[in-house]
Amino acid sequence: MDAGDSSQTITQSAEDAQASSVICKDKNARGDLPDSSTSTHPGDCLKDEDVEKKFDAEASSSILNNNTNAGPFISVNQSGSVQFLPCQQRYETFTSWPRSPIMQFAVHSRNGTYIVSDNMGQATPGGMTAYQISSPASGHSQVNDSSSGSLPSPQQLDDDASRKREHRLMKNREAARECRRKKKEYVKCLENRVAVLEKQNKMLIEELKALKDLYCHKTE
DNA sequence: TCGACACCCCGTCAAACGAA
DNA sequence: TTCGTTTGACGGGGTGTCGA
């Protein structure tokens, strides 16, 4: 990782990442994230399957109960705590999508890479830092000791250029992944909302029909 | 079983945009 | 103006389904 990079990279074995697929609230590993007591999620780790189950459960209950305030969205707020956002709140963040102020992170990953960052993908003025948890395969550039004082050789310039390119590609790779995740979540939220509104619409039509019937019977 | 097809996810590039 | 971020577009690979 480059010395000036605002993100902190935690490397774990690819096998571990693939096998467990978890986001761990490890204070040592994550630097300054709050402990799990600040999270609405009681466990230390969020497993993919747990998240999916919670998502499904909350999504269906949101629709069944006609509750637009219930929702299965995960966020990390400015204090760093992890929580499930209400659907309505999440929806509101989508209205300013893609630049909403709430931090979000990738829950699903096929290559064991999880990104925790704000939506700009950089440190925020308030001291928020972007976190990355990635596998060794992601390849992090090394910081060369350039204190020799002599002019860099063409070879060194070449190395520097290719290192910069690698870093740029890596950042873009992660950005693309995050962008797709956000887009999917956005679409899912819209679909959720459509379902809720359709249900509401149906109920209102039935209510109107009942009131009309009542009115007709009274006037007869 | 095999080929065609659809679907999904990924990496990369390029353009647009905002911040410094 | 430069640099970093975001996102649409494109092409490639993996997987599931279906009909021959």
Side-chain angles (χ1 to χ4, degrees):
Chain A
M1 183 168 57
D2 290 341
D5 197 339
S6 65
S7 55
Q8 299 176 12
T9 300
I10 301 141
T11 302
Q12 60 180 151
S13 82
E15 290 81 5
D16 285 349
Q18 295 256 347
S20 58
S21 281
V22 296
I23 298 169
C24 294
K25 295 180 67 59
D26 181 341
K27 280 186 81 172
N28 293 329
R30 297 271 289 276
D32 56 358
L33 276 187
D35 63 33
S36 58
S37 63
T38 62
S39 168
T40 57
H41 199 81
D44 282 345
C45 299
L46 297 175
K47 291 187 179 177
D48 276 0
E49 56 194 70
D50 294 338
V51 171
E52 278 175 6
K53 274 179 196 163
K54 187 154 179 97
F55 190 102
D56 288 341
E58 296 202 20
S60 24
S61 100
S62 151
I63 293 170
L64 287 174
N65 300 326
N66 206 16
N67 179 6
T68 57
N69 287 325
F73 303 102
I74 294 168
S75 79
V76 178
N77 64 20
Q78 294 297 323
S79 70
S81 65
V82 179
Q83 61 181 325
F84 286 86
L85 277 182
C87 184
Q88 185 62 38
Q89 186 182 339
R90 187 65 189 87
Y91 178 76
E92 282 161 3
T93 72
F94 280 138
T95 62
S96 60
W97 185 76
R99 295 182 189 278
S100 65
I102 296 174
M103 279 181 58
Q104 297 146 16
F105 59 87
V107 175
H108 299 282
S109 174
R110 287 194 165 184
N111 63 2
T113 299
Y114 295 92
I115 303 154
V116 182
S117 66
D118 63 6
N119 288 321
M120 297 297 288
Q122 60 190 17
T124 60
M128 182 65 80
T129 307
Y131 295 86
Q132 298 171 5
I133 305 175
S134 60
S135 70
S138 58
H140 307 300
S141 55
Q142 308 256 331
V143 180
N144 274 358
D145 178 26
S146 56
S147 59
S148 59
S150 59
L151 287 174
S153 67
Q155 173 69 30
Q156 280 174 321
L157 289 174
D158 237 29
D159 286 353
D160 195 49
S162 73
R163 210 167 31 243
K164 274 183 181 170
R165 176 182 154 77
E166 274 307 305
H167 185 252
R168 185 170 47 80
L169 288 179
M170 188 186 80
K171 294 285 266 185
N172 190 243
R173 200 155 45 229
E174 288 166 355
R177 209 176 289 143
E178 179 67 3
C179 179
R180 287 180 182 122
R181 185 195 64 78
K182 276 198 287 184
K183 193 174 178 180
K184 270 181 80 174
E185 198 179 340
Y186 172 68
V187 168
K188 211 162 190 171
C189 189
L190 288 182
E191 287 170 350
N192 242 12
R193 216 166 152 66
V194 165
V196 167
L197 291 175
E198 276 178 349
K199 193 169 186 292
Q200 264 181 352
N201 195 36
K202 204 173 173 182
M203 286 170 64
L204 287 171
I205 287 171
E206 280 170 12
E207 196 180 333
L208 178 64
K209 196 179 163 197
L211 287 171
K212 270 184 181 172
D213 285 349
L214 196 66
Y215 178 75
C216 287
H217 282 124
K218 272 198 171 178
T219 54
E220 278 173 8

